[in-house]
Amino acid sequence: MCVFCYNNLQKEATEYTKKINSNFAKKFGINLEHADCSEYELATSNQIKSAKGIKIETEAGNTVWDLNQFSFYENDAVSDTIHPSLWLNGKSCYSAGVFEVVKDAIYQVRGLDLSNLTIIKGKTGWIVQDVMTTVETARKALDLLSEALHTDVRSNVKAVIISHSHWDHFGGIKGVVDEENVGNPEEGKIPIYVPAGFDEECIKEYIFAGTAMDRRNDYQFGRKVGSSEKGVVSGGLGIDHPKGTASFITPTNRIEKNQTLFIDGLEIEFQLTPGTEAPAEMNNYFKDYRALWIAENCCGTLHNLYPIRGAQLRDSSAWANYIQEAIILFADRSDVVFQSHHWPHYNTKEEPDGVKKYLLNNAAFYRYLHDQTLYLANKGLTAKEIAKEIKIPEKLAANWFTRPYYGSVEINARAVYTKYLGFYNANPVELDPLTELQEAKLFVDYAGPEEKILEKAEKDFLRGEYKKAANVTNKLVIANPENKKARQLCADAFEQLAYQSESSIWRNAYLQGAYELRNGVGERKLSRVKNKDMMYRMSPKYMLGYIGTLIDGKKAGDKELKLNLIFVNDNAEGTEKTVYQGKEVTVEQKFYVHLYYGALLSYENYQKDEEDVVTVILPKEIFFKIAEKQIESVKDKIDTNDFKKLLELEAVIEDLNTKDSFPIIERSDSSLTL
Ligand SMILES: [Zn+2]
Ligand SMILES: [Zn+2]
């Protein structure tokens, strides 16, 4: 008789998992002994310099990137522990180096970062399109380009274009340009072009919910898991995430409308695509090279309408519409479409409409997801039911470039439902739902004892019913984190689900879950945001908004404070002056800030003329110290008639950066018990 073996070891794929994966391979014609699909061919062709096994370190010697960790892709055949389609994607991403996109004109560095760095030849130098995630990887990318092209690319960067407000496209900026060289090209400086709304959206996406997102990213990226055939095998958009330094430089030029610009003498048409893959995003068309940059609106995989790290929901309808608009605007004039992740797609002899087909299939996929979700919702299905019911037509599902390596049909369908109808399924039992812990305890109470539930879960596991086994054992773990057997069985079930996942981020999440069940959360401090450059560049309005999210409502519930804040900055453009530290300085912005029973209400460009309002004059960076609980340390740089009030405000602020990582796979807050 088959008996389940309880321990904390990583396991091989079971016979059930092997069967599921090999059935998929059969259905989609995947050769398990040798990668030979069209995407793999595109990923590996036109390489002019290899970066095989590349390792990148910080100045202090910490590893930022190490492709050797993925050397299992040197094997021709797929492992049983990797979904065959995801294996094709990972193996394609493993191809690293400098690639020619358009002969003598456009080059791309791939396989050094989650995203690509692309350079486009201008009339006198190079235009850099997107700058990767970290300073170290971007710097290395420019070095490789210089070596491959036998020219000093770095000294000849004439402009930078950043396609959208996601960190893997702007974080490497200081590896490409020095901040003091950024500015007006007429003064010999380097301009940075971004889509309208870029700065604001960066902050909204990464700072306001940054702490929760960072912890959830552990799951999306499988941060504790490590790369191996039983671990992380692909990031879905690139092979992995670099661990270097993220930077930010305030852009010089914002593209506010669709327009044509000459940048370093090159004619570039800009198409804004707001509210698609990112809230601020744009495509560009390079007429001289018949080349369409599609940003991340198409990216060689099905993307996320909702990334599982957490983010605001994306609009699949707008997404489809803007790709359709790109087809009308550019497809007939393009021989190649290239982007910030994965590899370009071309018109070829065999497929003269290759570019159009690529765009059309992407647009159709997002449109289908949108329309079918609403079709099913209007028939009365809930989000969870739609995720199971929605089926992608064979013709759309069969394209490798829209397979779910990053996004997934199931999550995307739930995202469309939630965008239109919200998270509530209309069943009144969900009006005031039990918490995860309450529900788990109730479940054990009604269906228990724990041993009996575990016995059934074990049987399900042995039948290959991993979702069922994971579901009930996770409830056991939540109800009783000390139940070692439940943890081990749940971990093993997650692991098999990971091996069966075509989506890299599902795989990573299951594996991270298994890791934490076996080893615990471990030592790790929460971090609200890693990009300090970005943090300190927040406008005063967003800084105040951010500080509002740091207030402990329980502590501040009976507090009222009134401040007239005058932010001064000698580099600001305003004409209004005030006296600060005995000198006349420029006023950047004024706010009336009212802490009203826990809520921080800010009034932009407004001051309250009342006796109990405290006036505070200071640069915004100094005020920011309040968020770090260090206002006392800058007391002598603050002009105010009542410093005590700032201390009172600081007293209700919590610095989350000093807190330990919170649990996800188990709950620990006993105050939430039933
Ligand atoms: Zn993006
Ligand atoms: Zn990206």
Side-chain angles (χ1 to χ4, degrees), residues 487-501:
R487 295 183 79 101
Q488 290 170 341
L489 182 51
C490 189
D492 283 12
F494 275 169
E495 194 169 58
Q496 295 304 317
L497 290 170
Y499 298 162
Q500 295 174 15
S501 293

Side-chain angles (χ1 to χ4, degrees), residues 193-199 252-259 261 270-272 274 282:
Y193 294 85
V194 295
F198 173 84
D199 318 42
T252 56
N253 297 58
R254 290 163 185 82
I255 304 292
E256 303 284 350
K257 59 178 188 343
N258 287 1
Q259 58 190 289
L261 293 178
F270 289 90
Q271 179 206 4
L272 287 171
M282 60 186 181

Side-chain angles (χ1 to χ4, degrees), residues 164 166 168-169 277 296:
H164 67 286
H166 286 155
D168 51 325
H169 302 265
E277 188 267 332
E296 201 168 322

